[in-house]
Amino acid sequence: MKILLLDKNHPLITEQLLAKNFILEEDFTSSYDEVCDKIHQYDGIIIRSRIPLDKNFLEKGKNLKFIARVGAGMENIDIPVAEKLRIQLINSPEGNRDSVAEHVIGILLIVMNRLFIASQEVKNGIWKREENRGNELLGKTVGLIGYGNMGKATAKRLSGFGCKVIFHDILPGLSDEFATQVTLDELKESAEVLSLHIPLTSETHYLIDERFISEMKNDFYFVNTARGKNVETRSLVEAMKSGKVKAVCLDVLEYEKSSFENIETENEDLNYLLHSENAIVTPHIAGWTHQSKEKLAQFIVDKIVASYC
């Protein structure tokens, strides 16, 4: 099988697939149109996020048998068209679930205990103790939306902090020893911390908006390591200003490029987040550890080999 690699990934992908007699070609620079012109030559494609695989692209890939995305989200692929064309879709959410879970814990501890603020103050000669009293995770009710790989890994770690973890998911019967499944209304009634672990779909676009926030009974901390467009930033910022949202931990932003390489839009809401002491903002790195890079790649290789060898 002839496979096109469109993004740089861990070298084990190339090493292990070549050892299994796959034919590999790398192209990390060609434009969308240039790749479209040659995609018919390949049986498979391995991607991250550089090029969108829309209806036009997929229909030109007349010989494509699979698309493998080294990561979890598949929103840059026109899934209904791919399924209609019987192109197998492969991803590897197992590979970065642990790094995402650790990131959630890390940024929550930072913002709830004012660690970044206090550290910066001391470095600038300011010594404030009373003003930097923290809030403990112990005893908090944490609500997760989405209970797949990322949600489950996060719940497992939160349980060790003595949290009550509840979650909402569109699939039934997912409760386990670490978290209890509830309705969305029940989650809004109880959660003191809210964390997203969902894909970006038409149903989850702007899931967190003015109405959703207003329906949360408690003032709450908010964490998003899923997708930026799951959240209507304008409404989140207004809730921060009112105190309804105590603080935010954002690894993803509504204003990111589709490739996640940078911010493509700047405005007053983004400016507020970047200058608020109640916001921790990181550059889409929750699933981006040295270990996850290797694990993401290994899961992709294993799944391709299992299907085509």
Side-chain angles (χ1 to χ4, degrees), residues 44-267:
I45 185 170
I46 299 176
I47 63 168
R48 285 200 63 88
S49 304
R50 187 171 70 87
I51 289 180
L53 276 56
D54 57 14
K55 183 174 186 289
N56 174 63
F57 184 102
L58 296 173
E59 288 180 344
K60 290 188 175 182
K62 298 183 184 301
N63 295 306
L64 281 179
K65 296 177 179 62
F66 74 84
I67 297 165
R69 181 172 187 272
V70 185
M74 305 284 272
E75 70 271 12
N76 60 329
I77 303 169
D78 191 325
I79 294 176
V81 172
E83 291 175 343
K84 182 180 178 181
L85 296 173
R86 297 185 178 180
I87 300 171
Q88 181 185 5
L89 298 179
I90 301 169
N91 64 345
S92 53
E94 308 92 340
N96 60 355
R97 59 190 172 194
D98 296 314
S99 60
V100 169
E102 290 189 13
H103 189 96
V104 170
I105 299 300
I107 53 179
L108 263 178
L109 292 175
I110 287 170
V111 77
M112 292 178 69
N113 291 282
R114 297 175 61 84
L115 299 180
F116 181 76
I117 298 165
S119 177
Q120 289 298 108
E121 287 177 348
V122 172
K123 289 179 179 180
N124 287 296
I126 301 168
W127 189 272
K128 294 181 179 179
R129 297 186 68 221
E130 184 60 34
E131 295 87 343
N132 284 311
R133 280 190 186 272
N135 237 325
E136 295 178 2
L137 264 175
L138 177 66
K140 295 287 189 298
T141 298
V142 181
L144 309 178
I145 301 183
Y147 206 62
N149 283 279
M150 313 304 174
K152 290 176 183 177
T154 301
K156 182 177 181 180
R157 285 155 179 80
L158 285 167
S159 67
F161 282 84
C163 298
K164 176 183 179 182
V165 186
I166 58 177
F167 69 90
H168 174 72
D169 196 283
I170 58 174
L171 298 177
L174 299 179
S175 293
D176 58 23
E177 61 186 301
F178 303 115
T180 302
Q181 189 161 7
V182 298
T183 66
L184 196 55
D185 286 339
E186 289 172 328
L187 185 145
K188 292 175 182 177
E189 179 73 17
S190 302
E192 299 165 278
V193 178
L194 178 65
S195 184
L196 300 188
H197 301 277
I198 50 178
L200 179 61
T201 67
S202 57
E203 289 76 22
T204 64
H205 185 268
Y206 283 175
L207 174 67
I208 308 303
D209 58 8
E210 182 179 4
R211 179 178 177 179
F212 188 105
I213 293 170
S214 70
E215 291 173 348
M216 293 285 289
K217 179 180 178 181
N218 302 309
D219 297 345
F220 63 99
Y221 295 94
F222 178 68
V223 184
N224 189 12
T225 55
R227 288 293 185 262
K229 288 184 173 60
N230 293 139
V231 180
E232 187 180 52
T233 308
R234 174 186 58 80
S235 296
L236 185 67
V237 167
E238 288 304 313
M240 292 174 68
K241 291 177 179 177
S242 73
K244 181 66 178 181
V245 173
K246 294 181 176 181
V248 300
C249 307
L250 304 176
D251 183 54
V252 291
L253 291 167
E254 178 184 351
Y255 313 117
E256 286 178 75
K257 291 183 178 180
S258 59
S259 62
F260 312 138
E261 292 174 346
N262 212 323
I263 294 171
E264 64 179 357
T265 304
E266 296 186 16
N267 55 38

